[in-house]
Amino acid sequence: MGKFSQRNLLGIKNLTRDDIELVFETADNFKAIINRPIKKVPSLRDVTVANIFFENSTRTRISFELAQKRLSADVVNFSASSSSVSKGETLIDTVKNILSMKVDMVVMRHPAPGACIFLSKHINAQIINAGDGTHEHPTQALLDAYSIKEKLGSVKGKKIAIVGDITHSRVALSNIYCLQKLGAEVMVCGPTTLIPKYISSLGVKVEHDLMKALNWCDVANMLRIQLERQDIKYFPSLREYSMLYGLDKQRLKSLNKEIVIMHPGPINRGVEITSDVADSKHSIILDQVENGVATRMAVMYLLASQK
Ligand code: NCD
């Protein structure tokens, strides 16, 4: 097996195709392990990991923590709301204090784009980006691409439509990089105001008509409207958004083919996706969550193996 090219996982942008495939191969092994009655392996014994979350999270935080526990790492959790950050401490000071307690790896979520890149220049511990503002969310993209591969046999040559709030989504950017490196064709779809002007320079197709995007794609990844990151109004109302861009059974039925439905969560049922679609056999939303643990185990194992 090859070696992972990066010391940290700051984004998908700097990964090679071989890195991504190595994560997938490793994740296959871990997926087999976590489906056994005894789910724990000693791979990260004596490695201490700090999960430092400056932004809310349910899935990602639990998924990382479970992955760490299944690898037998020692884990400490930190969330900004209950910490000295609210007393005015800087990011570097907070993290340096945690690291002086001999932490080897940091998993960080932060609202500022580039926060993990900045931190990586100031600390020696290995860093995994668990989402930095509107920038990247690399482990989400890895688990998404892994789930597509599992469902369709490969990612190469597949057509993936990413639908929704592309401007404010870190999942969109990481997915674009990851899927393109694996040889997929990527389209983004949404209202003009939620699609950044630079996006076509990344080599993705842009479509504003949901039905055209659905007719084109093999997989639709439905993103949430990131209202918490929107400081102005980008569309008249959520009702209008869901009339134009919401995925419902009727729209799915009107296609003369089957497509795979994905969503990174949290779902806003009735806005970007209706319940009957989210819970249908076309949806692999819960497979994505399951694969998140194996994929994150793979990433941490590969990074820890470099030392
Ligand atoms: C995403 C995130 O936080 O960027 N969620 C996740 O990690 N599962 C997407 C979102 O919040 O909509």
Side-chain angles (χ1 to χ4, degrees), residues 59-60 109 137 140 170-171 224 226 264-266:
R59 256 158 304 271
T60 306
R109 171 168 285 195
H137 190 354
Q140 181 70 43
R170 51 195 172 213
V171 176
R224 186 175 64 87
Q226 314 263 319

Side-chain angles (χ1 to χ4, degrees), residues 134-135 166-169 172-173 176-177 195-204 206:
T134 55
H135 181 221
I166 311 299
T167 300
H168 301 95
S169 169
L173 189 60
I176 291 169
Y177 288 140
I195 297 195
K197 290 208 176 71
Y198 70 82
I199 207 88
S200 49
S201 70
L202 297 179
V204 301
V206 177

Side-chain angles (χ1 to χ4, degrees), residues 76-120:
V76 283
N77 287 310
F78 162 99
S79 68
S81 54
S82 57
S83 74
S84 293
V85 174
S86 50
K87 299 180 188 167
E89 191 169 67
T90 66
L91 172 61
I92 294 186
D93 281 337
T94 304
V95 176
K96 277 197 169 158
N97 274 279
I98 297 170
L99 295 184
S100 59
M101 300 177 221
K102 305 280 177 282
V103 168
D104 305 293
M105 202 182 277
V106 171
V107 175
M108 185 168 84
R109 171 168 285 195
H110 197 282
C116 293
I117 299 173
F118 170 75
L119 198 65
S120 70

Side-chain angles (χ1 to χ4, degrees), residues 202-233:
L202 297 179
V204 301
K205 295 186 190 327
V206 177
E207 178 58 68
H208 300 296
D209 179 327
L210 177 63
M211 284 316 294
K212 283 191 183 154
L214 296 177
N215 271 308
W216 173 84
C217 72
D218 302 306
V219 178
N221 193 353
M222 306 303 296
L223 303 182
R224 186 175 64 87
I225 298 292
Q226 314 263 319
L227 284 176
E228 74 280 18
R229 296 203 193 106
Q230 300 183 2
D231 42 8
I232 57 167
K233 262 188 166 264

Side-chain angles (χ1 to χ4, degrees), residues 211 214-217 250-259 282:
M211 284 316 294
L214 296 177
N215 271 308
W216 173 84
C217 72
Q250 222 173 340
R251 286 194 161 124
L252 266 192
K253 267 199 195 139
S254 71
L255 305 173
N256 44 20
K257 57 170 184 177
E258 296 216 335
I259 61 170
H282 303 279

Side-chain angles (χ1 to χ4, degrees), residues 10-22:
L10 303 175
I12 300 288
K13 193 176 182 183
N14 296 326
L15 297 190
T16 63
R17 188 197 167 116
D18 285 350
D19 286 329
I20 299 170
E21 276 167 1
L22 183 57

